[in-house]
Amino acid sequence: EGLCERVEIDHTVSKPDDLDAILKAITSGFFYNVAKLSRTGDYQTVKQQKTVYIHPSSVLAKEEQPPAWLVFFELAFTTKEFMRQVAPINPEWLVEIAPHYYQQSDVEDAKSKKMPKNRNGR
């Protein structure tokens, strides 16, 4: 509340239960750090095409059905390149949030390609 008053934002307008708005805000700050699930069950960064993995300490690493698209805060280089602080996103947001960086062609295949059913099937 105090911060909202200091920057002159009406705190009664915000919707803390609107997860999409929160995830969109995070994505707008980290749009460069996006990875999508490949057919092999690994994640590929969208622009650099590097293979990355969800850090084992993440809740999402244990998901039976991993999210198709993720935004991440940082990469940790150990035995593999691990994404840390990950959150699932809608790929359509990327074109909306960062049209200077992402084109529709970067996210189109999200609808047309089949994704792996589970991580154990690799």
Side-chain angles (χ1 to χ4, degrees), residues 5 19 21 39 44 57 62 74 78 90 99 117 122:
E5 289 172 11
L19 292 180
R39 289 178 183 220
Q44 297 282 321
S57 65
K62 296 151 186 67
E74 65 182 352
T78 58
N90 180 337
K117 290 189 179 181
R122 290 193 240 181

Side-chain angles (χ1 to χ4, degrees), residues 18-32 34 71 87-98:
D18 187 357
L19 292 180
D20 279 355
I22 295 167
L23 290 172
K24 257 187 179 179
I26 293 168
T27 303
S28 70
F30 294 96
F31 66 86
Y32 187 77
V34 173
V71 63
I89 63 165
N90 180 337
E92 302 299 322
W93 297 344
L94 298 171
V95 178
E96 176 187 337
I97 291 167

Side-chain angles (χ1 to χ4, degrees), residues 66-84:
W69 289 74
L70 294 173
V71 63
F72 58 92
F73 173 65
E74 65 182 352
L75 289 174
F77 300 97
T78 58
T79 55
K80 298 178 182 177
E81 260 184 294
F82 288 107
M83 298 177 287
R84 296 185 57 170

Side-chain angles (χ1 to χ4, degrees), residues 50-68:
K50 294 192 320 189
T51 301
V52 292
Y53 303 88
I54 298 175
H55 195 275
S57 65
S58 172
V59 172
L60 293 179
K62 296 151 186 67
E63 289 287 314
E64 182 75 25
Q65 191 94 22

Side-chain angles (χ1 to χ4, degrees), residues 107-121:
V107 299
E108 276 177 350
D109 64 339
K111 297 173 188 165
S112 61
K113 287 185 181 175
K114 284 191 171 188
M115 289 290 143
K117 290 189 179 181
N118 65 36
R119 303 191 91 186
N120 300 333

Side-chain angles (χ1 to χ4, degrees), residues 28-46:
S28 70
F30 294 96
F31 66 86
Y32 187 77
N33 296 345
V34 173
K36 65 180 175 179
L37 192 61
S38 69
R39 289 178 183 220
T40 63
D42 298 327
Y43 283 93
Q44 297 282 321
T45 57
V46 177

